[in-house]
Amino acid sequence: MSIETTESKNTYSVPNLERSFRILELLGESREGLNLTELTNATGCPNNSVFRICRTLEELGYITRDPASKKHRISKRILNLALGAV
C-alpha cells in the first residue's frame, strides 16, 4: 500500500508528517542509506516533497546526507527520541 492510499483514509491526517515518518522508517531499515530517487520510488511521493522533507529532517539533525554518495542515513538524534520513551 502506498503512502498516498493511507493519506486519503483519514481526513484528520497531516500528509507531510506521514511522509516524513515513512521516510524515517525507510532510512532506519537501510544500513547503506537511500538517495532521493530510492526514497521517491519507495514512498510513491512526489520527488519535490521527498526532497523538501529530507532537507528539513537534515536541517533538524534527524538524518544526514553523504555528499559523495548523496545517500541519506538516519542520525543518532533519533536514538535520543527513542531513549526518551524507555
Side-chain angles (χ1 to χ4, degrees), residues 3-40:
I3 196 152
E4 300 299 331
T5 304
T6 303
E7 290 170 2
S8 63
K9 289 185 178 183
N10 186 346
T11 58
Y12 298 108
S13 70
V14 179
N16 277 336
L17 185 58
E18 288 183 3
R19 290 172 180 165
S20 300
F21 275 100
R22 181 65 185 132
I23 288 169
L24 288 171
E25 289 170 350
L26 288 167
L27 292 175
E29 296 167 0
S30 173
R31 283 185 163 240
E32 57 279 339
L34 299 167
N35 63 32
L36 284 177
T37 302
E38 293 166 327
L39 288 168
T40 298

PDB file of all heavy atoms in Angstrom, residues 3-40:
ATOM      1  N   ILE A   3       1.852   5.241   0.403  1.00  0.00           N
ATOM      2  CA  ILE A   3       1.519   6.236   1.427  1.00  0.00           C
ATOM      3  C   ILE A   3       0.367   7.118   0.976  1.00  0.00           C
ATOM      4  O   ILE A   3      -0.404   7.599   1.788  1.00  0.00           O
ATOM      5  CB  ILE A   3       2.757   7.054   1.819  1.00  0.00           C
ATOM      6  CG1 ILE A   3       2.484   7.776   3.121  1.00  0.00           C
ATOM      7  CG2 ILE A   3       3.151   8.034   0.748  1.00  0.00           C
ATOM      8  CD1 ILE A   3       3.688   8.049   3.921  1.00  0.00           C
ATOM      9  N   GLU A   4       0.225   7.324  -0.324  1.00  0.00           N
ATOM     10  CA  GLU A   4      -0.878   8.138  -0.835  1.00  0.00           C
ATOM     11  C   GLU A   4      -2.221   7.507  -0.473  1.00  0.00           C
ATOM     12  O   GLU A   4      -3.164   8.194  -0.139  1.00  0.00           O
ATOM     13  CB  GLU A   4      -0.753   8.303  -2.360  1.00  0.00           C
ATOM     14  CG  GLU A   4       0.533   8.970  -2.813  1.00  0.00           C
ATOM     15  CD  GLU A   4       0.716  10.377  -2.289  1.00  0.00           C
ATOM     16  OE1 GLU A   4      -0.269  11.075  -2.039  1.00  0.00           O
ATOM     17  OE2 GLU A   4       1.874  10.783  -2.131  1.00  0.00           O
ATOM     18  N   THR A   5      -2.297   6.179  -0.536  1.00  0.00           N
ATOM     19  CA  THR A   5      -3.530   5.479  -0.178  1.00  0.00           C
ATOM     20  C   THR A   5      -3.840   5.664   1.297  1.00  0.00           C
ATOM     21  O   THR A   5      -4.969   5.903   1.685  1.00  0.00           O
ATOM     22  CB  THR A   5      -3.396   3.977  -0.493  1.00  0.00           C
ATOM     23  OG1 THR A   5      -3.050   3.849  -1.873  1.00  0.00           O
ATOM     24  CG2 THR A   5      -4.685   3.242  -0.227  1.00  0.00           C
ATOM     25  N   THR A   6      -2.825   5.583   2.142  1.00  0.00           N
ATOM     26  CA  THR A   6      -3.000   5.759   3.574  1.00  0.00           C
ATOM     27  C   THR A   6      -3.501   7.163   3.892  1.00  0.00           C
ATOM     28  O   THR A   6      -4.383   7.351   4.717  1.00  0.00           O
ATOM     29  CB  THR A   6      -1.666   5.525   4.308  1.00  0.00           C
ATOM     30  OG1 THR A   6      -1.196   4.229   3.979  1.00  0.00           O
ATOM     31  CG2 THR A   6      -1.824   5.637   5.801  1.00  0.00           C
ATOM     32  N   GLU A   7      -2.948   8.162   3.217  1.00  0.00           N
ATOM     33  CA  GLU A   7      -3.310   9.549   3.492  1.00  0.00           C
ATOM     34  C   GLU A   7      -4.774   9.830   3.209  1.00  0.00           C
ATOM     35  O   GLU A   7      -5.408  10.596   3.911  1.00  0.00           O
ATOM     36  CB  GLU A   7      -2.447  10.489   2.647  1.00  0.00           C
ATOM     37  CG  GLU A   7      -1.016  10.511   3.078  1.00  0.00           C
ATOM     38  CD  GLU A   7      -0.138  11.254   2.104  1.00  0.00           C
ATOM     39  OE1 GLU A   7      -0.640  11.788   1.116  1.00  0.00           O
ATOM     40  OE2 GLU A   7       1.071  11.302   2.343  1.00  0.00           O
ATOM     41  N   SER A   8      -5.329   9.225   2.176  1.00  0.00           N
ATOM     42  CA  SER A   8      -6.702   9.526   1.788  1.00  0.00           C
ATOM     43  C   SER A   8      -7.723   8.901   2.740  1.00  0.00           C
ATOM     44  O   SER A   8      -8.885   9.255   2.698  1.00  0.00           O
ATOM     45  CB  SER A   8      -6.957   9.060   0.353  1.00  0.00           C
ATOM     46  OG  SER A   8      -6.827   7.659   0.271  1.00  0.00           O
ATOM     47  N   LYS A   9      -7.306   8.004   3.621  1.00  0.00           N
ATOM     48  CA  LYS A   9      -8.224   7.323   4.525  1.00  0.00           C
ATOM     49  C   LYS A   9      -8.604   8.146   5.751  1.00  0.00           C
ATOM     50  O   LYS A   9      -9.609   7.898   6.363  1.00  0.00           O
ATOM     51  CB  LYS A   9      -7.622   5.991   4.990  1.00  0.00           C
ATOM     52  CG  LYS A   9      -7.587   4.961   3.902  1.00  0.00           C
ATOM     53  CD  LYS A   9      -7.090   3.655   4.459  1.00  0.00           C
ATOM     54  CE  LYS A   9      -7.102   2.598   3.384  1.00  0.00           C
ATOM     55  NZ  LYS A   9      -6.708   1.311   3.884  1.00  0.00           N
ATOM     56  N   ASN A  10      -7.811   9.112   6.131  1.00  0.00           N
ATOM     57  CA  ASN A  10      -8.053   9.851   7.353  1.00  0.00           C
ATOM     58  C   ASN A  10      -8.067  11.348   7.061  1.00  0.00           C
ATOM     59  O   ASN A  10      -7.048  11.936   6.732  1.00  0.00           O
ATOM     60  CB  ASN A  10      -6.972   9.522   8.390  1.00  0.00           C
ATOM     61  CG  ASN A  10      -7.242  10.145   9.727  1.00  0.00           C
ATOM     62  OD1 ASN A  10      -8.078  11.032   9.870  1.00  0.00           O
ATOM     63  ND2 ASN A  10      -6.527   9.678  10.723  1.00  0.00           N
ATOM     64  N   THR A  11      -9.207  11.961   7.221  1.00  0.00           N
ATOM     65  CA  THR A  11      -9.319  13.391   6.912  1.00  0.00           C
ATOM     66  C   THR A  11      -8.593  14.268   7.924  1.00  0.00           C
ATOM     67  O   THR A  11      -8.410  15.452   7.675  1.00  0.00           O
ATOM     68  CB  THR A  11     -10.793  13.822   6.831  1.00  0.00           C
ATOM     69  OG1 THR A  11     -11.432  13.518   8.071  1.00  0.00           O
ATOM     70  CG2 THR A  11     -11.502  13.116   5.705  1.00  0.00           C
ATOM     71  N   TYR A  12      -8.217  13.704   9.059  1.00  0.00           N
ATOM     72  CA  TYR A  12      -7.514  14.482  10.078  1.00  0.00           C
ATOM     73  C   TYR A  12      -6.008  14.254  10.047  1.00  0.00           C
ATOM     74  O   TYR A  12      -5.303  14.738  10.915  1.00  0.00           O
ATOM     75  CB  TYR A  12      -8.052  14.146  11.471  1.00  0.00           C
ATOM     76  CG  TYR A  12      -9.513  14.488  11.597  1.00  0.00           C
ATOM     77  CD1 TYR A  12     -10.471  13.488  11.638  1.00  0.00           C
ATOM     78  CD2 TYR A  12      -9.931  15.813  11.639  1.00  0.00           C
ATOM     79  CE1 TYR A  12     -11.815  13.800  11.738  1.00  0.00           C
ATOM     80  CE2 TYR A  12     -11.276  16.136  11.735  1.00  0.00           C
ATOM     81  CZ  TYR A  12     -12.207  15.120  11.781  1.00  0.00           C
ATOM     82  OH  TYR A  12     -13.532  15.434  11.875  1.00  0.00           O
ATOM     83  N   SER A  13      -5.526  13.554   9.062  1.00  0.00           N
ATOM     84  CA  SER A  13      -4.096  13.283   8.976  1.00  0.00           C
ATOM     85  C   SER A  13      -3.354  14.485   8.390  1.00  0.00           C
ATOM     86  O   SER A  13      -3.939  15.360   7.763  1.00  0.00           O
ATOM     87  CB  SER A  13      -3.834  12.049   8.113  1.00  0.00           C
ATOM     88  OG  SER A  13      -4.116  12.323   6.763  1.00  0.00           O
ATOM     89  N   VAL A  14      -2.062  14.498   8.618  1.00  0.00           N
ATOM     90  CA  VAL A  14      -1.187  15.519   8.054  1.00  0.00           C
ATOM     91  C   VAL A  14      -0.278  14.783   7.064  1.00  0.00           C
ATOM     92  O   VAL A  14       0.671  14.105   7.475  1.00  0.00           O
ATOM     93  CB  VAL A  14      -0.359  16.222   9.150  1.00  0.00           C
ATOM     94  CG1 VAL A  14       0.560  17.264   8.548  1.00  0.00           C
ATOM     95  CG2 VAL A  14      -1.278  16.825  10.203  1.00  0.00           C
ATOM     96  N   PRO A  15      -0.575  14.890   5.781  1.00  0.00           N
ATOM     97  CA  PRO A  15       0.147  14.093   4.782  1.00  0.00           C
ATOM     98  C   PRO A  15       1.668  14.214   4.844  1.00  0.00           C
ATOM     99  O   PRO A  15       2.363  13.201   4.778  1.00  0.00           O
ATOM    100  CB  PRO A  15      -0.398  14.614   3.446  1.00  0.00           C
ATOM    101  CG  PRO A  15      -1.766  15.106   3.788  1.00  0.00           C
ATOM    102  CD  PRO A  15      -1.645  15.683   5.165  1.00  0.00           C
ATOM    103  N   ASN A  16       2.199  15.420   4.986  1.00  0.00           N
ATOM    104  CA  ASN A  16       3.652  15.542   5.021  1.00  0.00           C
ATOM    105  C   ASN A  16       4.262  14.957   6.286  1.00  0.00           C
ATOM    106  O   ASN A  16       5.401  14.505   6.271  1.00  0.00           O
ATOM    107  CB  ASN A  16       4.088  16.990   4.826  1.00  0.00           C
ATOM    108  CG  ASN A  16       4.127  17.366   3.368  1.00  0.00           C
ATOM    109  OD1 ASN A  16       4.271  16.498   2.498  1.00  0.00           O
ATOM    110  ND2 ASN A  16       3.988  18.635   3.079  1.00  0.00           N
ATOM    111  N   LEU A  17       3.521  14.945   7.359  1.00  0.00           N
ATOM    112  CA  LEU A  17       4.012  14.294   8.568  1.00  0.00           C
ATOM    113  C   LEU A  17       4.059  12.789   8.365  1.00  0.00           C
ATOM    114  O   LEU A  17       5.040  12.133   8.734  1.00  0.00           O
ATOM    115  CB  LEU A  17       3.125  14.655   9.770  1.00  0.00           C
ATOM    116  CG  LEU A  17       3.589  14.146  11.123  1.00  0.00           C
ATOM    117  CD1 LEU A  17       4.987  14.655  11.449  1.00  0.00           C
ATOM    118  CD2 LEU A  17       2.601  14.583  12.194  1.00  0.00           C
ATOM    119  N   GLU A  18       3.017  12.232   7.748  1.00  0.00           N
ATOM    120  CA  GLU A  18       3.019  10.805   7.416  1.00  0.00           C
ATOM    121  C   GLU A  18       4.182  10.471   6.491  1.00  0.00           C
ATOM    122  O   GLU A  18       4.871   9.464   6.690  1.00  0.00           O
ATOM    123  CB  GLU A  18       1.701  10.405   6.756  1.00  0.00           C
ATOM    124  CG  GLU A  18       0.543  10.377   7.707  1.00  0.00           C
ATOM    125  CD  GLU A  18      -0.752   9.910   7.037  1.00  0.00           C
ATOM    126  OE1 GLU A  18      -0.734   9.547   5.835  1.00  0.00           O
ATOM    127  OE2 GLU A  18      -1.778   9.917   7.719  1.00  0.00           O
ATOM    128  N   ARG A  19       4.404  11.301   5.494  1.00  0.00           N
ATOM    129  CA  ARG A  19       5.505  11.079   4.558  1.00  0.00           C
ATOM    130  C   ARG A  19       6.845  11.132   5.284  1.00  0.00           C
ATOM    131  O   ARG A  19       7.738  10.323   5.025  1.00  0.00           O
ATOM    132  CB  ARG A  19       5.475  12.134   3.456  1.00  0.00           C
ATOM    133  CG  ARG A  19       4.321  11.990   2.513  1.00  0.00           C
ATOM    134  CD  ARG A  19       4.249  13.169   1.568  1.00  0.00           C
ATOM    135  NE  ARG A  19       3.123  13.012   0.646  1.00  0.00           N
ATOM    136  CZ  ARG A  19       2.635  13.979  -0.088  1.00  0.00           C
ATOM    137  NH1 ARG A  19       3.141  15.201  -0.023  1.00  0.00           N
ATOM    138  NH2 ARG A  19       1.631  13.750  -0.903  1.00  0.00           N
ATOM    139  N   SER A  20       6.983  12.076   6.191  1.00  0.00           N
ATOM    140  CA  SER A  20       8.235  12.227   6.941  1.00  0.00           C
ATOM    141  C   SER A  20       8.544  10.979   7.757  1.00  0.00           C
ATOM    142  O   SER A  20       9.679  10.494   7.756  1.00  0.00           O
ATOM    143  CB  SER A  20       8.167  13.441   7.868  1.00  0.00           C
ATOM    144  OG  SER A  20       7.959  14.616   7.136  1.00  0.00           O
ATOM    145  N   PHE A  21       7.539  10.469   8.437  1.00  0.00           N
ATOM    146  CA  PHE A  21       7.767   9.279   9.242  1.00  0.00           C
ATOM    147  C   PHE A  21       8.041   8.057   8.369  1.00  0.00           C
ATOM    148  O   PHE A  21       8.850   7.202   8.723  1.00  0.00           O
ATOM    149  CB  PHE A  21       6.607   9.017  10.200  1.00  0.00           C
ATOM    150  CG  PHE A  21       6.749   9.795  11.473  1.00  0.00           C
ATOM    151  CD1 PHE A  21       6.041  10.960  11.665  1.00  0.00           C
ATOM    152  CD2 PHE A  21       7.617   9.375  12.472  1.00  0.00           C
ATOM    153  CE1 PHE A  21       6.181  11.692  12.836  1.00  0.00           C
ATOM    154  CE2 PHE A  21       7.771  10.094  13.640  1.00  0.00           C
ATOM    155  CZ  PHE A  21       7.050  11.265  13.825  1.00  0.00           C
ATOM    156  N   ARG A  22       7.403   7.987   7.223  1.00  0.00           N
ATOM    157  CA  ARG A  22       7.673   6.873   6.303  1.00  0.00           C
ATOM    158  C   ARG A  22       9.121   6.946   5.815  1.00  0.00           C
ATOM    159  O   ARG A  22       9.807   5.931   5.748  1.00  0.00           O
ATOM    160  CB  ARG A  22       6.701   6.898   5.121  1.00  0.00           C
ATOM    161  CG  ARG A  22       6.912   5.772   4.153  1.00  0.00           C
ATOM    162  CD  ARG A  22       6.604   4.420   4.796  1.00  0.00           C
ATOM    163  NE  ARG A  22       6.937   3.361   3.865  1.00  0.00           N
ATOM    164  CZ  ARG A  22       7.645   2.290   4.176  1.00  0.00           C
ATOM    165  NH1 ARG A  22       8.050   2.095   5.412  1.00  0.00           N
ATOM    166  NH2 ARG A  22       7.908   1.391   3.272  1.00  0.00           N
ATOM    167  N   ILE A  23       9.599   8.133   5.507  1.00  0.00           N
ATOM    168  CA  ILE A  23      10.989   8.305   5.088  1.00  0.00           C
ATOM    169  C   ILE A  23      11.935   7.898   6.214  1.00  0.00           C
ATOM    170  O   ILE A  23      12.910   7.177   5.987  1.00  0.00           O
ATOM    171  CB  ILE A  23      11.245   9.754   4.626  1.00  0.00           C
ATOM    172  CG1 ILE A  23      10.555   9.983   3.276  1.00  0.00           C
ATOM    173  CG2 ILE A  23      12.735  10.068   4.554  1.00  0.00           C
ATOM    174  CD1 ILE A  23      10.494  11.429   2.836  1.00  0.00           C
ATOM    175  N   LEU A  24      11.634   8.318   7.438  1.00  0.00           N
ATOM    176  CA  LEU A  24      12.467   7.922   8.577  1.00  0.00           C
ATOM    177  C   LEU A  24      12.471   6.411   8.765  1.00  0.00           C
ATOM    178  O   LEU A  24      13.514   5.810   9.052  1.00  0.00           O
ATOM    179  CB  LEU A  24      11.986   8.622   9.853  1.00  0.00           C
ATOM    180  CG  LEU A  24      12.282  10.116   9.943  1.00  0.00           C
ATOM    181  CD1 LEU A  24      11.566  10.719  11.151  1.00  0.00           C
ATOM    182  CD2 LEU A  24      13.778  10.375  10.010  1.00  0.00           C
ATOM    183  N   GLU A  25      11.313   5.778   8.608  1.00  0.00           N
ATOM    184  CA  GLU A  25      11.232   4.321   8.725  1.00  0.00           C
ATOM    185  C   GLU A  25      12.084   3.639   7.657  1.00  0.00           C
ATOM    186  O   GLU A  25      12.816   2.683   7.952  1.00  0.00           O
ATOM    187  CB  GLU A  25       9.782   3.853   8.612  1.00  0.00           C
ATOM    188  CG  GLU A  25       8.940   4.211   9.810  1.00  0.00           C
ATOM    189  CD  GLU A  25       7.458   3.959   9.588  1.00  0.00           C
ATOM    190  OE1 GLU A  25       7.040   3.672   8.439  1.00  0.00           O
ATOM    191  OE2 GLU A  25       6.703   4.062  10.573  1.00  0.00           O
ATOM    192  N   LEU A  26      11.982   4.108   6.426  1.00  0.00           N
ATOM    193  CA  LEU A  26      12.776   3.526   5.339  1.00  0.00           C
ATOM    194  C   LEU A  26      14.267   3.692   5.594  1.00  0.00           C
ATOM    195  O   LEU A  26      15.050   2.755   5.390  1.00  0.00           O
ATOM    196  CB  LEU A  26      12.399   4.166   4.005  1.00  0.00           C
ATOM    197  CG  LEU A  26      11.039   3.783   3.448  1.00  0.00           C
ATOM    198  CD1 LEU A  26      10.648   4.719   2.314  1.00  0.00           C
ATOM    199  CD2 LEU A  26      11.056   2.337   2.955  1.00  0.00           C
ATOM    200  N   LEU A  27      14.666   4.862   6.044  1.00  0.00           N
ATOM    201  CA  LEU A  27      16.081   5.086   6.332  1.00  0.00           C
ATOM    202  C   LEU A  27      16.547   4.244   7.513  1.00  0.00           C
ATOM    203  O   LEU A  27      17.685   3.775   7.528  1.00  0.00           O
ATOM    204  CB  LEU A  27      16.346   6.569   6.585  1.00  0.00           C
ATOM    205  CG  LEU A  27      16.176   7.483   5.370  1.00  0.00           C
ATOM    206  CD1 LEU A  27      16.352   8.937   5.775  1.00  0.00           C
ATOM    207  CD2 LEU A  27      17.149   7.109   4.270  1.00  0.00           C
ATOM    208  N   GLY A  28      15.673   4.048   8.476  1.00  0.00           N
ATOM    209  CA  GLY A  28      16.019   3.207   9.619  1.00  0.00           C
ATOM    210  C   GLY A  28      16.225   1.751   9.250  1.00  0.00           C
ATOM    211  O   GLY A  28      16.968   1.026   9.906  1.00  0.00           O
ATOM    212  N   GLU A  29      15.591   1.321   8.179  1.00  0.00           N
ATOM    213  CA  GLU A  29      15.709  -0.064   7.706  1.00  0.00           C
ATOM    214  C   GLU A  29      16.899  -0.270   6.774  1.00  0.00           C
ATOM    215  O   GLU A  29      17.240  -1.398   6.457  1.00  0.00           O
ATOM    216  CB  GLU A  29      14.433  -0.469   6.974  1.00  0.00           C
ATOM    217  CG  GLU A  29      13.206  -0.495   7.860  1.00  0.00           C
ATOM    218  CD  GLU A  29      11.914  -0.577   7.068  1.00  0.00           C
ATOM    219  OE1 GLU A  29      11.951  -0.622   5.820  1.00  0.00           O
ATOM    220  OE2 GLU A  29      10.845  -0.590   7.706  1.00  0.00           O
ATOM    221  N   SER A  30      17.537   0.800   6.342  1.00  0.00           N
ATOM    222  CA  SER A  30      18.611   0.713   5.351  1.00  0.00           C
ATOM    223  C   SER A  30      19.959   1.026   5.974  1.00  0.00           C
ATOM    224  O   SER A  30      20.193   2.143   6.430  1.00  0.00           O
ATOM    225  CB  SER A  30      18.334   1.697   4.207  1.00  0.00           C
ATOM    226  OG  SER A  30      19.424   1.737   3.323  1.00  0.00           O
ATOM    227  N   ARG A  31      20.850   0.054   5.973  1.00  0.00           N
ATOM    228  CA  ARG A  31      22.188   0.268   6.531  1.00  0.00           C
ATOM    229  C   ARG A  31      23.036   1.192   5.677  1.00  0.00           C
ATOM    230  O   ARG A  31      23.783   2.012   6.183  1.00  0.00           O
ATOM    231  CB  ARG A  31      22.936  -1.062   6.676  1.00  0.00           C
ATOM    232  CG  ARG A  31      22.484  -1.860   7.835  1.00  0.00           C
ATOM    233  CD  ARG A  31      23.340  -3.097   7.991  1.00  0.00           C
ATOM    234  NE  ARG A  31      23.122  -3.597   9.327  1.00  0.00           N
ATOM    235  CZ  ARG A  31      24.075  -3.728  10.218  1.00  0.00           C
ATOM    236  NH1 ARG A  31      25.312  -3.468   9.900  1.00  0.00           N
ATOM    237  NH2 ARG A  31      23.792  -4.155  11.417  1.00  0.00           N
ATOM    238  N   GLU A  32      22.915   1.051   4.361  1.00  0.00           N
ATOM    239  CA  GLU A  32      23.763   1.843   3.473  1.00  0.00           C
ATOM    240  C   GLU A  32      23.172   3.196   3.104  1.00  0.00           C
ATOM    241  O   GLU A  32      23.815   4.013   2.475  1.00  0.00           O
ATOM    242  CB  GLU A  32      24.120   1.062   2.206  1.00  0.00           C
ATOM    243  CG  GLU A  32      22.952   0.569   1.391  1.00  0.00           C
ATOM    244  CD  GLU A  32      22.321  -0.722   1.902  1.00  0.00           C
ATOM    245  OE1 GLU A  32      22.963  -1.488   2.636  1.00  0.00           O
ATOM    246  OE2 GLU A  32      21.156  -0.934   1.567  1.00  0.00           O
ATOM    247  N   GLY A  33      21.932   3.447   3.492  1.00  0.00           N
ATOM    248  CA  GLY A  33      21.282   4.707   3.189  1.00  0.00           C
ATOM    249  C   GLY A  33      20.550   4.656   1.860  1.00  0.00           C
ATOM    250  O   GLY A  33      20.685   3.700   1.092  1.00  0.00           O
ATOM    251  N   LEU A  34      19.771   5.679   1.589  1.00  0.00           N
ATOM    252  CA  LEU A  34      18.981   5.756   0.366  1.00  0.00           C
ATOM    253  C   LEU A  34      19.097   7.145  -0.231  1.00  0.00           C
ATOM    254  O   LEU A  34      19.144   8.139   0.490  1.00  0.00           O
ATOM    255  CB  LEU A  34      17.506   5.460   0.662  1.00  0.00           C
ATOM    256  CG  LEU A  34      17.182   4.082   1.233  1.00  0.00           C
ATOM    257  CD1 LEU A  34      15.770   4.054   1.775  1.00  0.00           C
ATOM    258  CD2 LEU A  34      17.380   3.013   0.185  1.00  0.00           C
ATOM    259  N   ASN A  35      19.126   7.203  -1.563  1.00  0.00           N
ATOM    260  CA  ASN A  35      19.148   8.509  -2.211  1.00  0.00           C
ATOM    261  C   ASN A  35      17.716   8.969  -2.489  1.00  0.00           C
ATOM    262  O   ASN A  35      16.754   8.241  -2.222  1.00  0.00           O
ATOM    263  CB  ASN A  35      20.017   8.493  -3.475  1.00  0.00           C
ATOM    264  CG  ASN A  35      19.481   7.561  -4.543  1.00  0.00           C
ATOM    265  OD1 ASN A  35      18.283   7.358  -4.679  1.00  0.00           O
ATOM    266  ND2 ASN A  35      20.386   6.994  -5.321  1.00  0.00           N
ATOM    267  N   LEU A  36      17.571  10.175  -3.012  1.00  0.00           N
ATOM    268  CA  LEU A  36      16.234  10.731  -3.244  1.00  0.00           C
ATOM    269  C   LEU A  36      15.395   9.877  -4.195  1.00  0.00           C
ATOM    270  O   LEU A  36      14.206   9.690  -3.960  1.00  0.00           O
ATOM    271  CB  LEU A  36      16.334  12.158  -3.785  1.00  0.00           C
ATOM    272  CG  LEU A  36      16.696  13.229  -2.771  1.00  0.00           C
ATOM    273  CD1 LEU A  36      16.835  14.575  -3.452  1.00  0.00           C
ATOM    274  CD2 LEU A  36      15.674  13.304  -1.661  1.00  0.00           C
ATOM    275  N   THR A  37      16.010   9.365  -5.241  1.00  0.00           N
ATOM    276  CA  THR A  37      15.278   8.537  -6.195  1.00  0.00           C
ATOM    277  C   THR A  37      14.747   7.283  -5.519  1.00  0.00           C
ATOM    278  O   THR A  37      13.587   6.899  -5.715  1.00  0.00           O
ATOM    279  CB  THR A  37      16.176   8.163  -7.395  1.00  0.00           C
ATOM    280  OG1 THR A  37      16.638   9.362  -8.017  1.00  0.00           O
ATOM    281  CG2 THR A  37      15.432   7.320  -8.403  1.00  0.00           C
ATOM    282  N   GLU A  38      15.570   6.649  -4.707  1.00  0.00           N
ATOM    283  CA  GLU A  38      15.146   5.434  -3.995  1.00  0.00           C
ATOM    284  C   GLU A  38      14.019   5.751  -3.015  1.00  0.00           C
ATOM    285  O   GLU A  38      13.060   4.978  -2.902  1.00  0.00           O
ATOM    286  CB  GLU A  38      16.347   4.808  -3.276  1.00  0.00           C
ATOM    287  CG  GLU A  38      17.387   4.260  -4.226  1.00  0.00           C
ATOM    288  CD  GLU A  38      18.712   3.937  -3.567  1.00  0.00           C
ATOM    289  OE1 GLU A  38      19.106   4.629  -2.597  1.00  0.00           O
ATOM    290  OE2 GLU A  38      19.364   2.985  -4.034  1.00  0.00           O
ATOM    291  N   LEU A  39      14.128   6.867  -2.312  1.00  0.00           N
ATOM    292  CA  LEU A  39      13.072   7.253  -1.378  1.00  0.00           C
ATOM    293  C   LEU A  39      11.775   7.599  -2.107  1.00  0.00           C
ATOM    294  O   LEU A  39      10.690   7.232  -1.671  1.00  0.00           O
ATOM    295  CB  LEU A  39      13.530   8.439  -0.522  1.00  0.00           C
ATOM    296  CG  LEU A  39      14.581   8.119   0.537  1.00  0.00           C
ATOM    297  CD1 LEU A  39      15.170   9.390   1.115  1.00  0.00           C
ATOM    298  CD2 LEU A  39      13.983   7.249   1.626  1.00  0.00           C
ATOM    299  N   THR A  40      11.905   8.288  -3.227  1.00  0.00           N
ATOM    300  CA  THR A  40      10.724   8.637  -4.021  1.00  0.00           C
ATOM    301  C   THR A  40      10.024   7.383  -4.525  1.00  0.00           C
ATOM    302  O   THR A  40       8.799   7.257  -4.428  1.00  0.00           O
ATOM    303  CB  THR A  40      11.134   9.542  -5.202  1.00  0.00           C
ATOM    304  OG1 THR A  40      11.690  10.746  -4.680  1.00  0.00           O
ATOM    305  CG2 THR A  40       9.947   9.886  -6.078  1.00  0.00           C
TER     306      THR A  40
END
